Amino acid sequence: MTEPIDVDTGAGPRVLVLEDEALVCDLVVEALQDEGVETLCANDPATALELLASHRATLRVILTDVNLGAAMDGFEVAREARRLIPDIFVLYATGYAEADFATRSVPGAMIAPKPFALHEVASRIAALARVVGTY
């Protein structure tokens, strides 16, 4: 497991990326940085929850993988994220069928099916961040 990446330029609100594959997380962070989005990255649910709690004043979007290979999956992390930050926007990334999405996702969430083009998803998250006032 890698250390959490905290890219903070001091400009304010951020996006949290939760991805258990460190290389994928790093690539998503880089693509988001290219779009001008401040980003926190976690490779496991426990780190993500710590970051959510300690950065609740600035986190407005979470991009979470669904299958995290841990005790908690992305659906559970999203529910906890909403408990900590009721208005956080949730975007699930998954390569699995969307069958569970309708019954397990938090209200108002969206899904980004894997595999996805990194820069396409990053530009969509950047646009979303603008809409929800993250920067």
Side-chain angles (χ1 to χ4, degrees):
M1 179 176 79
T2 63
E3 290 298 313
I5 297 170
D6 184 350
V7 180
D8 183 2
T9 63
R14 301 180 181 116
V15 172
L16 172 62
V17 177
L18 172 55
E19 169 59 59
D20 61 331
E21 295 183 41
L23 179 60
V24 173
C25 199
D26 293 345
L27 291 171
V28 173
V29 166
E30 184 177 324
L32 286 168
Q33 284 179 298
D34 289 348
E35 292 290 332
V37 178
E38 291 189 47
T39 308
L40 296 168
C41 182
N43 298 126
D44 61 82
T47 302
L49 295 175
E50 288 173 17
L51 290 170
L52 284 160
S54 63
H55 295 279
R56 67 176 88 182
T58 58
L59 281 171
R60 294 293 173 264
V61 178
I62 181 172
L63 170 63
T64 180
D65 191 4
V66 171
N67 184 3
L68 298 168
M72 294 179 78
D73 63 19
F75 295 117
E76 294 166 309
V77 172
R79 282 192 293 279
E80 185 62 17
R82 282 277 176 87
R83 188 187 70 71
L84 292 167
I85 309 167
D87 60 346
I88 195 166
F89 187 87
V90 177
L91 180 61
Y92 297 103
T94 184
Y96 296 98
E98 298 176 27
D100 283 347
F101 181 73
T103 58
R104 298 194 61 212
S105 68
V106 296
M110 295 177 69
I111 192 165
K114 284 182 178 179
F116 49 72
L118 262 172
H119 290 289
E120 181 179 317
V121 167
S123 70
R124 289 182 183 179
I125 292 171
L128 173 65
R130 287 184 200 100
V131 170
V132 298
T134 58
Y135 69 99

